[in-house]
Amino acid sequence: MCLATVIKKADGTAIFRNVSRIDVNGDTLVIRDILGEEKEVTGKILMVDLANSVVEVECS
């Protein structure tokens, strides 16, 4: 299983770790980790690096 870390483009800080799913609904990202915890972020996905399990987002 490949889990990701979601980071902010602006400063590189981690928003959420062990992410198993990201749902996109307009400008809202619903990020879910392996334990089922969810976090909503307003912004957009800028880059997905599957080799390093990193998702970079721009937050509004």
Side-chain angles (χ1 to χ4, degrees):
M1 183 183 311
C2 179
L3 301 174
T5 300
V6 177
I7 63 169
K8 288 184 195 177
K9 164 107 174 126
D11 58 10
T13 59
I15 295 174
F16 219 27
R17 298 183 190 279
N18 299 318
V19 173
S20 60
R21 180 180 178 119
I22 301 173
D23 294 312
V24 180
N25 185 10
D27 64 347
T28 301
L29 306 174
V30 181
I31 305 166
R32 185 177 304 129
D33 73 5
I34 193 169
L35 299 176
E37 292 186 45
E38 288 185 355
K39 183 180 281 194
E40 284 192 17
V41 175
T42 302
K44 62 182 178 180
I45 295 174
L46 299 177
M47 180 273 299
V48 177
D49 181 346
L50 298 175
N52 293 304
S53 300
V54 173
V55 178
E56 187 177 70
V57 298
E58 182 176 72
C59 298
S60 303

